Amino acid sequence: MSMPIKHIEKDFMINMLYNEQIPIIYLHNRKEYSLKIEKYTKDKIYFKSDRPIGNLVTGKTIELMFKYNTLSISFTVEMNTLEHGITVKESHFVGNMPEFLYKDLDRSYRRVSFPHDMEVKFALKEDQYLLPFPQVSTVESLEETDAALEGTIEPNIHDFNGILAAIDRWIKNFADGYRVVLFKDETPLSFEEQLIAKNGKALFLPSMTEHLPSPNTSPYPEKHLITEEQFKEYLKSLGVNPTYFDKAIAHFFDSKKGGGILADLWIPLLFKNYIVGSLRVWIKKAEKVPLDYKVIAPLYRYAQSLVLALQEKGYFESHHIKDAFITATGIDISSSGIRFTYPHSSIATSMTLHSTVALKLLMPKRTINVNVQIVRSYKKRDTVFFGCRFLDITPEDMRFLFEYIYGTPFTELGTSLISGHV
């Protein structure tokens, strides 16, 4: 595994590169460039290339490598400026000071900048949707406990209006009213809707005299319920000073009672990882309080039935991206893997660590189709970076890709190029 070099040892090696003018190798567009450090500061390194480097732009991240004794050491820098020298044989550019250098490289092939005449596209392995609604990272499945099975829903109802009628018949046994809301782009969400959309869980207020669930003190399981701590976290995200949390929660309960609400329950409507609406049930008559915790599981099932009915009617179809190859931005590539970026979005969020993605590598004379596994991902500003390992590239495609990105016959260098998985 690659070992990071940092702090004092890193500073020593940067100084050594400068003082001894040790060549630093950069592979770009099938050509090898030799760089040397002209000077460096705390934040920047000034490089000089043995010849002009084309197709470089400010903000591009490149990988560099040098030899120290028997070790191969690599590091990445982000380009700040690029200036051609007075003569055509020189080229100067500035990069940021790297946080780490890496030794004991564990890659099969060396990583190079993504070729300017190559394009990368990806397709997700499962049905995916890009919806204009709030999204949560995980959705907890409902456990089939004895309590959850009580009050089962009416079966074999598949149309939206039929499900609403079933809900209406059922909630009359324990509540005074209900409402289903489907979120729209232009409709601002209520405080409660924002709260359940933020957490992907139900807001359960069995009475206006009981507290929100709290760890180790609540009689209710917390897996699907918004806790007091999560309520306070949301208040904090709105800019409420922590010293006013208790007053804000008390005001929240008081406003409910002022509106005649004696018990309240908000269930999120979940489609994939999106919150597409809410199912609300309330009590106004004192004899029906408190609201029984056992109604939550059936209401979750009714909520799920509503969403499935919407899906069957094609409600989400305009946002379906199944089988569509999406253009990404290539950063660098080797014969064993690739690193690319995509804007931070629901699509990027769906590509989780260790998941499999289908890629197309489009070149002027060949298109390579390959599945990759995401082995590393990180977010930088509004962009997500994905480091991927090729899973099933054919020997013929492997040979072609090697010669295409390195500009060298496969038999000449074989596996001797120094690199590591992206």
Side-chain angles (χ1 to χ4, degrees), residues 4-7 10-11 75-77 96-102:
I5 301 171
K6 51 188 177 179
H7 304 316
K10 183 199 77 173
D11 294 340
F75 61 98
T76 60
V77 297
N96 67 299
M97 177 64 70
E99 183 177 2
F100 301 113
L101 308 182
Y102 292 92

Side-chain angles (χ1 to χ4, degrees), residues 358-371:
L359 286 191
K360 282 185 182 291
L361 299 175
L362 294 91
M363 294 155 280
K365 295 184 178 180
R366 194 182 189 114
T367 295
I368 294 177
N369 294 285
V370 60
N371 290 321

Side-chain angles (χ1 to χ4, degrees), residues 404-421:
Y404 185 82
I405 64 176
Y406 298 122
T408 305
F410 184 80
T411 54
E412 183 173 316
L413 289 181
T415 60
S416 65
L417 282 179
I418 301 168
S419 187
H421 64 248

Side-chain angles (χ1 to χ4, degrees), residues 204-232:
F204 179 50
L205 308 173
S207 75
M208 294 305 130
T209 59
E210 296 189 39
H211 294 291
L212 289 158
S214 184
N216 305 319
T217 62
S218 173
Y220 311 111
E222 302 164 19
K223 192 173 184 179
H224 302 282
L225 302 183
I226 293 172
T227 65
E228 182 175 335
E229 286 67 23
Q230 290 168 330
F231 194 102
K232 290 178 177 178

Side-chain angles (χ1 to χ4, degrees), residues 253-261:
F253 277 90
D254 289 341
S255 65
K256 294 280 186 184
K257 290 184 285 186
I261 302 297

